[in-house]
Amino acid sequence: MSASVPIAGNRFIIVGGASLVGSATAAGLLDAGASEVVLFDNFSMGSEAAVAHLKDNPRLRLVRGDVMRLPDLLRAMEGCQGALLLAAYMTLNMDRDPWGGLDVNIRGVQNALEAARATGVRKVVFASSNAVYGYGPGVKGELVEDTPFHSAGAPPAAILYGATKIIGEQLCRDYKRRFGLDYVVLRYSTVYGERQHYRAANALYIIETWDRVKRGERPQVYGDGSETKHFVYVGDLARANRMAFEAEATDVAVNTSGPAPVTTLELVRMVTKLAGSDIEPEFVGDTPGKVRLTSGGAFRIAHEEAFRAIGWKPQVGMEEGLRRLMAWIESNEGRTS
Ligand SMILES: NC(=O)c1ccc[n+]([C@@H]2O[C@H](COP(=O)([O-])OP(=O)(O)OC[C@H]3O[C@@H](n4cnc5c(N)ncnc54)[C@H](O)[C@@H]3O)[C@@H](O)[C@H]2O)c1
């Protein structure tokens, strides 16, 4: 049977949908003609404000529910052909509440897969992360889909987060093997863009830099500024989610990263320029108690496999994406969220 789920005329559920990736993806699915998009969320981190721009669309339905409660998921998934699984704790929240994170990222994913199987959902798209390659000095070079996991020298919360994403991916594989449930895993790199939140360590750095420069303070660069970051623009990811449903691909996990990595110094210079300033950054050491995600040197998250599997490649470069993010931060919606 075909593993493709066309968007037009079909109903989709986005589990953990009232936030950054969910709101952008919902907009994309509605534009492509989905008959209904259900945003399922317990609003522990997401908010109605994050989806306020969609609320007048009659094909959008907001459902309050918790992934820890299977009956909530069963009710909400009834009649859906596609399910995008986003609900998760990322590193910063995992640091504050590891048990809550392990529950949501593991049992929550299993509940969602079980509900998908029981209600006859045809395809699941699971939001994994480049955290499956780990963090710390071992992470360097070209990161491809079979690059191993590195844990030495990285904060425990980051490793717990990455480990839960590895488990989530394997739960998807297991549901395919046992029950034939089609799935595509997308390993997002750090997401940034409109409706940015403060929960992702690397994207938070962009906002902190912007805020400092706007206040006339020097932006801070950790170490010598050569550390690599590889982001992806949220609109590109929304398109990847949509294409993962539409593609014939199943039983695969692929990286979805932006066009190219940047160093932290390049990033700070881009943000400073966008703020209309030429203030020089200050080079600082680590801040005690702050969770930072480091790697062992230059790296690039290869996204060529995503093109082969689902026909996707990123379109929005870092400068353009930052410009859109900053425009949103300075807009009414950004100021009040
Ligand atoms: N943002 C990033 O930089 C990034 C990078 C790589 C991977 N990812 C993954 O992408 C996905 C979405 O990212 P995001 O930035 O939109 O995440 P987010 O933290 O903004 O959204 C997660 C949503 O899940 C909801 N949620 C949490 N616990 C829940 C529960 N028990 N029941 C129901 N809903 C619950 C939250 O309220 C929130 O709206 C996550 O799985 C994340 O791990 C994100």
Side-chain angles (χ1 to χ4, degrees), residues 70 73-75 77-80 110-122 175 179 181:
L70 184 57
L73 285 161
L74 287 167
R75 257 194 310 276
M77 271 193 204
E78 202 58 58
C80 290
Q110 212 211 341
N111 281 341
L113 289 167
E114 179 55 19
R117 179 198 68 77
T119 57
V121 164
R122 284 177 42 210
Y175 264 75
F179 308 112
L181 179 61

Side-chain angles (χ1 to χ4, degrees), residues 90 119 177 325:
M90 281 182 278
T119 57
R177 191 175 61 89
L325 168 58

Side-chain angles (χ1 to χ4, degrees), residues 16 18-21 41-46 65-67 86-88 90 104 127-129 161 165 188-191 197 199-200:
S19 186
L20 174 65
V21 177
D41 210 294
N42 69 351
F43 299 98
S44 58
M45 305 167 204
D66 198 305
V67 292
L86 300 176
M90 281 182 278
V104 169
S128 184
S129 165
Y161 171 59
K165 288 296 182 185
Y188 305 166
S189 59
T190 300
V191 191
H197 54 60
R199 288 185 289 285

Side-chain angles (χ1 to χ4, degrees), residues 20-21 23-24 190-197 203 206-207 231-236 316 318 320-329:
L20 174 65
V21 177
S23 61
T190 300
V191 191
Y192 73 103
E194 292 87 348
R195 295 171 198 89
Q196 185 69 54
H197 54 60
I206 300 179
I207 298 183
F231 293 89
V232 63
Y233 174 64
V234 69
D236 274 339
V316 177
M318 200 71 213
E320 172 57 20
L322 285 174
R323 200 186 54 69
R324 294 183 195 184
L325 168 58
M326 300 319 165
W328 178 79
I329 291 177

